[in-house]
Amino acid sequence: MVIIGGGNVAIDVARSVRRLGAEKVTLVCLESGEEMPAWQWEVEEAQEEDIRVMNSWGPRSVFSEEGVVKGLELKRCTSVFDAEGNFRPEFDETDTATVVADNVIIAIGQRGDLTCLEGSQVKLAGEGRIRWDRETLALSQEGIFACGEVATGPASAVEAVFDGHRAATAIAHYLESGELLEQPPVELAHLDDLPDEVAEKVKVLDPVAAETQPAETRGRDFSEIERGYTEAEALAEARRCLACTTGALVDEAKCAGCLTCVRICPFGVATVEQTAVMPQEKCQACGLCAAQCPAAAIALKRFGTDEMTGKLREMVADMKRKDSRTPLIVSYCCLFEMTSRGFIRQSQEDYPRKGVLPVMIPCVARLSVVDVLRPFEAGADAVVIIACSDGSCLYPTAEERLLGRVRQAKGVLAEIGLEEERIDFWKTEGSAEVSWTAFWELSRKKLQEIEKTHAGETK
Ligand code: SF4
Ligand code: SF4
């Protein structure tokens, strides 16, 4: 089989015919290896499946015998694009080659079939496209709108769906008002590059590779090649997210310009002019500044501890309603160590048998002293903080800062006559599920002892 084309569709065709039983599959394209529009990893996977890729060749003629295809004659393609980048292939007619084949499949750029518009007043833009207005999505004939590649030219399916929504809105508006609706193209937000001095402090985590079928077995049928992520792998991959634009937001009215955030920001991002400034393209959303700001002037745009305050009160009240006698531990756990949401759900459902309410936080170092004490105010009897395992924290100095706040919170408990031991700090060891369960059990036993002593003292 010979496939003509160098895009992802051509690769799909080549890999499909291999699975349908073709013994030898050759893909021929004008572009060099670097110019091929197909994704590099697709090309590599095709080659692993024994598909031959012939770059920089163009079809000259199909040769046949008695009406039956016997192969393809090729001519060398010396360049694909002109100096302006336009598609204008050049060939060396003296440099030729042949590929024996009993089938030739053409898998090159397709165009829209616009025959349905013949006889209409809709104007065409050439190359199988319709002339349209980008903002109103209207065509030259009133009352007709367009979206997708027939209007925009080559794009992605996601963009076509997005344009479909815009077209539906435009049509609804037109039907209701008889007017065209201006919908300016959406400008995507642009973030400046992370400056080197910040980037060098960011912990780089390797991508998590999904398991794939080996090349020797996968070319035989259409079974899935890439198994996809397990839940634990997906969570590990998500951990690599730099959380851009979810970081610190300063309330200028509260900021006292005390420089605490400048002093503790482990990425050197925070500065103070009149008030504190944390540029969103630099902030790593660790939350250390928000936890430490003496004026409580900093919030995180997403996943800040303030988001959980109301919910925490509700959950503690709900737990206490179900069973007011079992001592309740609120356990703040590092979200980055979680490998199973089912485990957390199950742990929450297991109350009152276990007496632990796990609360997941993207880095427990976001907890302020107030956050550590808040569960007591809501009715909990102890707080257990479980940080990530040794060496895995993404944020420099996070643990020592948190431990400082834990000490402060213990001091507050002592001042109001409660035992400091009601606050525990652990670090994940190995499997989160196993070590967290063990820590909860240890803390639960300790709490029982404290409660016994407490009850004895108050008699
Ligand atoms: S720590 Fe808080 S009060 Fe101090 S400068 Fe930063 S934002 Fe302002
Ligand atoms: S959230 Fe972290 S990285 Fe961002 S300004 Fe605060 S301390 Fe610095």
Side-chain angles (χ1 to χ4, degrees), residues 86-108:
N86 301 311
F87 180 72
R88 209 174 300 280
E90 299 278 342
F91 297 96
D92 176 354
E93 301 283 345
T94 64
D95 188 0
T96 60
T98 54
V99 184
V100 176
D102 46 24
N103 225 319
V104 176
I105 299 177
I106 300 170
I108 53 176

Side-chain angles (χ1 to χ4, degrees), residues 214-290:
E216 306 80 61
T217 56
R218 71 176 181 232
R220 296 180 193 147
D221 57 31
F222 285 91
S223 60
E224 248 177 345
I225 295 174
E226 204 172 79
R227 178 177 52 73
Y229 285 142
T230 61
E231 184 183 10
E233 287 168 344
L235 288 165
E237 178 66 6
R239 195 173 179 223
R240 302 175 61 233
C241 171
L242 293 181
C244 297
T245 75
T246 67
L249 198 62
V250 178
D251 182 341
E252 292 181 1
K254 288 186 185 170
C255 175
C258 70
L259 298 176
T260 302
C261 50
V262 179
R263 183 170 51 79
I264 67 161
C265 176
F267 297 96
V269 163
T271 55
V272 169
E273 291 165 15
Q274 291 296 321
T275 53
V277 180
M278 287 102 173
Q280 62 168 351
E281 69 274 16
K282 295 183 186 172
C283 176
Q284 295 301 299
C286 68
L288 294 189
C289 57

Side-chain angles (χ1 to χ4, degrees), residues 293-356:
C293 171
I298 307 172
L300 292 177
K301 288 188 199 120
R302 293 197 63 196
F303 311 120
T305 53
D306 49 328
E307 280 180 30
M308 71 183 182
T309 306
K311 206 167 157 207
L312 181 73
R313 281 210 185 93
E314 265 172 45
M315 289 170 93
V316 170
D318 184 47
M319 299 274 182
K320 285 287 179 188
R321 248 193 318 276
K322 284 181 188 153
D323 178 357
S324 60
R325 293 193 317 166
T326 303
L328 172 61
I329 296 172
V330 168
S331 180
Y332 292 121
C333 307
C334 175
L335 179 69
F336 293 137
E337 288 287 355
M338 184 176 76
T339 53
S340 158
R341 285 162 305 165
F343 167 72
I344 298 302
R345 268 196 302 273
Q346 190 59 50
S347 303
Q348 290 173 348
E349 281 165 18
D350 276 352
Y351 183 84
R353 194 164 60 83
K354 291 190 178 156
V356 176

Side-chain angles (χ1 to χ4, degrees), residues 3 5-6 27-32 36 53-58 77:
I3 320 299
L27 184 141
V28 175
C29 65
L30 300 177
E31 297 88 354
S32 65
M36 275 180 83
V53 177
M54 293 181 70
N55 292 108
S56 304
W57 290 100
C77 177

